[in-house]
Amino acid sequence: MAYAERHKVTVTTNAAGAGTGYTPIVSGKIRQIVYDKTDFDNGVDFDVTLETTGEVVWDQDNVNADAVVAPRIATHTTAGVAALYAAGGLPVLDHIVVAKDRIKIAVANGGNVKSGVFYVIVGD
């Protein structure tokens, strides 16, 4: 990998336990998202998407601890059907690409005025 960027996004919830944060505008492949729990309540829910298209990057509910994910997306053939590995019929996965867009991190069930930190790593 020739270059990579790491963006720190701190999300603080409101009284209802919800909050939203954004990376700056980025381009490249989403390599990893590192979640540092800080003080969110157990059972926090994440919806990480691309701001412009709404493409899902990471959607997980009931998270209780620090986490590191390397999200991938299913690929398709030129005919628009799912590309599968022949041996087991499992989907072929590839990096999620972002092009001059922000990554939106929405949190629910995080607790009353609590926070968590996300590090989003984007590279080529």
Side-chain angles (χ1 to χ4, degrees), residues 84-92:
L84 303 174
Y85 289 107
L90 299 173
V92 176

Side-chain angles (χ1 to χ4, degrees), residues 10 12 21 25 28 31 33 45 47 56 63 87 99 104 108 112 117:
T10 301
T12 301
I25 294 173
R31 297 293 184 163
I33 301 173
D45 303 334
D47 288 311
V56 175
V63 179
K104 176 182 175 182
N112 182 1
V117 175

Side-chain angles (χ1 to χ4, degrees), residues 1-82:
M1 184 165 46
Y3 88 97
E5 301 173 346
R6 179 178 57 229
H7 300 281
K8 179 180 180 180
V9 179
T10 301
V11 178
T12 301
T13 59
N14 58 24
T20 304
Y22 297 87
T23 66
I25 294 173
V26 297
S27 293
K29 296 175 182 176
I30 299 171
R31 297 293 184 163
Q32 288 183 323
I33 301 173
V34 179
Y35 163 59
D36 181 4
K37 183 176 183 201
T38 314
D39 69 351
F40 281 150
D41 286 350
N42 282 341
V44 65
D45 303 334
F46 304 140
D47 288 311
V48 180
T49 58
L50 300 185
E51 182 181 31
T52 301
T53 64
E55 182 179 349
V56 175
V57 175
W58 180 22
D59 181 0
Q60 186 173 351
D61 295 340
N62 302 314
V63 179
N64 296 327
D66 295 347
V68 178
V69 296
R72 301 293 186 266
I73 191 168
T75 62
H76 299 82
T77 70
T78 56
V81 298

